[in-house]
Amino acid sequence: MLHGKRVLLIVSGGIAAYKSLDLIRRLRERGAGVRCVLTAGGAHFVTPLSLAALSEDTVFTDLFSLTTESEMGHIRLSREADLLVVAPATADILAKMAHGRADDLATTALLATDKPVLIAPAMNVRMWNHAATQANLRTLESRGVLRVGPVEGDMACGEYGPGRMSEVMEIVAAVESFFADRSPLAGKRALVTSGPTHEPIDPVRYIANRASGKQGHAIAAALARAGAATTLVTGPTHEPDPAGVTVVRIESAAEMLAACKAALPADVAVFAAAVSDWRIAAQAGQKIKKNAGAPPQLSLAENPDILATLAAPGNLRPRLVIGFAAETEKVVENAQAKLKRKRCDWIVANDVSPATGTFGGSDNTVHLVTGKGVEDWPPMSKTDVAARLIERIGMALAERA
Ligand code: CTP
């Protein structure tokens, strides 16, 4: 449910801080990555060591720590999260948040972030009911801060009333519903191909192409972030595995086809791999020796077209099939022909002439070719191409539902 999501958990000083230890476990069980910031107050209740052990990550405590600043920087800390969770959120930290104070690492991260924030307040009932706390809360909620709890119950101070931090599973549910609301592709299955294929000549040699896998990997990562259960079938690349994605590594086109078929059914399939069009007709079982006379004559056989195979009408055809067209001339024209020939729904066409630096580079200039027409997208990073494509996929699947 929370695969690939990154939570920055801020633990402030309240007796409920012990529940945050379990919160880390429950969030991680669901696939979220959890990184913790512990306030000085929080450190009176739980130790950085417990948080580090449970989160399996560094725990950040000090705004002016040389290590924190040199390795990470307090701004990056919140930038790298999808959601900030303040649990427990004391009256004091809520007051600081409401007034924009930044006198420690936690409050600085909260002020520096443009990411959504969820608070789980925990405090004495009178502090909760105090007009100052209620005013702070209204300020925070008017700015879009999300809240879970507090609940009514016996308090550590011996009183009874609202102010107890919500139970861990309620906080988990609030985190899950936050991501579900922002996951346009939740419940959908996606398949992505990426990278080059390697077609063996003999056990040590192969033919391949210059694809880096950057675009396909970025698309798989963006699909997973949008909530789709994503399988990435990739040829050999240097790209790291995207978070929350099932990665199937293959070498040849034949293996890619088999892995794609095994990943079906899917609602959407994006074929970003640069599949080798040909393979060696008869792969040598042993390394070909050069002293065998004249250089070997390699005879080629055509590879299966994975996109065309999976786009063909049939029960298992994904509802939305998207191909790529890497062209060096007549980009849109060639892409339109490919769209028809391969019977896919959309083609993302790009110019891969050496001068564009697209192959292996981080940027891409693409045209989205559909049955309805052509959209020219401005030059942008491959990550932005992925994000924009996923937005369009979400809209198209909603229309086709
Ligand atoms: N493709 C595929 N299997 C192949 C060849 C291509 O799935 N054997 C897919 C690519 O992943 C891409 C699309 O088809 O989504 C177009 O790839 P491209 O290399 O541009 O097209 P080709 O069919 O190889 O056409 P040509 O080389 O003639 O331009």
Side-chain angles (χ1 to χ4, degrees), residues 293-308:
Q297 300 294 310
L298 298 178
S299 123
L300 301 177
E302 196 160 324
N303 264 332
D305 191 310
I306 299 161
L307 166 59

Side-chain angles (χ1 to χ4, degrees), residues 4-369:
K5 306 294 186 232
R6 296 159 306 176
V7 172
L8 183 70
L9 176 64
I10 295 174
V11 180
S12 70
I15 185 74
Y18 75 92
K19 293 189 193 170
S20 306
L21 300 176
D22 195 33
L23 179 60
I24 299 171
R25 292 182 52 195
R26 302 296 162 219
L27 291 173
R28 294 196 63 212
E29 268 170 14
R30 285 160 179 74
V34 181
R35 176 171 274 172
C36 298
V37 171
L38 182 62
T39 67
H44 288 295
F45 296 91
V46 290
T47 67
L49 196 59
S50 316
L51 296 177
L54 288 164
S55 64
E56 292 185 75
D57 201 345
T58 311
V59 173
F60 298 88
T61 52
D62 190 357
L63 179 58
F64 299 108
S65 144
L66 199 58
T67 350
T68 311
E69 283 309 309
S70 62
E71 281 173 9
M72 161 51 94
H74 61 276
I75 308 282
R76 247 180 78 194
L77 207 53
S78 56
R79 202 175 282 160
E80 287 183 356
D82 300 305
L83 175 69
L84 277 66
V85 176
V86 190
T90 58
D92 180 54
I93 202 163
L94 294 183
K96 286 177 175 166
M97 285 169 72
H99 295 277
R101 291 196 56 184
D103 61 356
D104 65 2
L105 181 61
T107 47
T108 307
L110 284 160
L111 192 62
T113 193
D114 56 356
K115 297 297 169 64
V117 179
L118 171 72
I119 54 172
M123 66 197 74
N124 165 274
V125 55
R126 287 164 212 277
M127 292 169 85
W128 174 253
N129 285 332
H130 197 284
T133 302
Q134 290 301 314
N136 290 335
L137 212 67
R138 280 194 295 280
T139 304
L140 292 174
E141 289 184 334
S142 72
R143 291 183 197 143
V145 168
L146 305 164
R147 173 164 70 89
V148 51
V151 292
E152 251 183 52
D154 289 321
M155 320 220 71
C157 52
E159 293 186 67
Y160 182 92
R164 272 173 67 99
M165 185 167 90
S166 293
E167 289 309 319
V168 168
M169 290 316 290
E170 285 173 50
I171 303 175
V172 170
V175 171
E176 283 183 330
S177 93
F178 163 81
F179 283 114
D181 289 349
R182 282 163 181 73
S183 304
L185 298 179
K188 300 283 188 281
R189 290 171 59 102
L191 165 67
V192 181
T193 68
S194 184
T197 62
H198 285 186
E199 307 298 332
I201 297 171
D202 65 16
V204 297
R205 304 182 179 94
Y206 58 82
I207 48 175
N209 59 61
R210 292 184 191 283
S212 65
K214 281 198 171 82
Q215 186 63 83
H217 278 59
I219 290 168
L223 282 163
R225 270 201 302 278
T230 306
T231 301
L232 172 66
V233 178
T234 176
T237 77
H238 296 296
E239 289 297 295
D241 287 355
V245 169
T246 305
V247 180
V248 182
R249 281 189 199 78
I250 52 81
E251 299 233 326
S252 66
E255 289 167 1
M256 183 172 269
L257 178 60
C260 286
K261 283 183 173 165
L264 295 177
D267 296 281
V268 56
V270 185
F271 296 88
V275 183
S276 171
D277 291 317
W278 305 283
R279 65 179 181 279
I280 306 300
Q283 187 194 328
Q286 303 297 334
K287 185 181 170 196
I288 302 170
K289 306 300 275 182
K290 73 172 172 284
N291 56 8
Q297 300 294 310
L298 298 178
S299 123
L300 301 177
E302 196 160 324
N303 264 332
D305 191 310
I306 299 161
L307 166 59
T309 308
L310 272 66
N315 285 345
L316 282 178
R317 186 193 193 276
R319 270 190 291 160
L320 186 61
V321 176
I322 306 170
F324 268 71
E327 306 293 345
T328 53
E329 57 174 354
K330 296 192 219 149
V331 178
V332 169
E333 216 174 294
N334 282 331
Q336 281 167 326
K338 253 173 218 175
L339 182 81
K340 286 211 182 78
R341 194 170 74 239
K342 304 201 183 203
R343 295 195 277 191
C344 51
D345 300 299
W346 301 348
I347 287 263
V348 180
N350 56 358
D351 188 340
V352 293
S353 318
T356 63
T358 301
F359 260 152
S362 297
D363 290 347
N364 211 347
T365 305
V366 309
H367 313 270
L368 183 66
V369 179

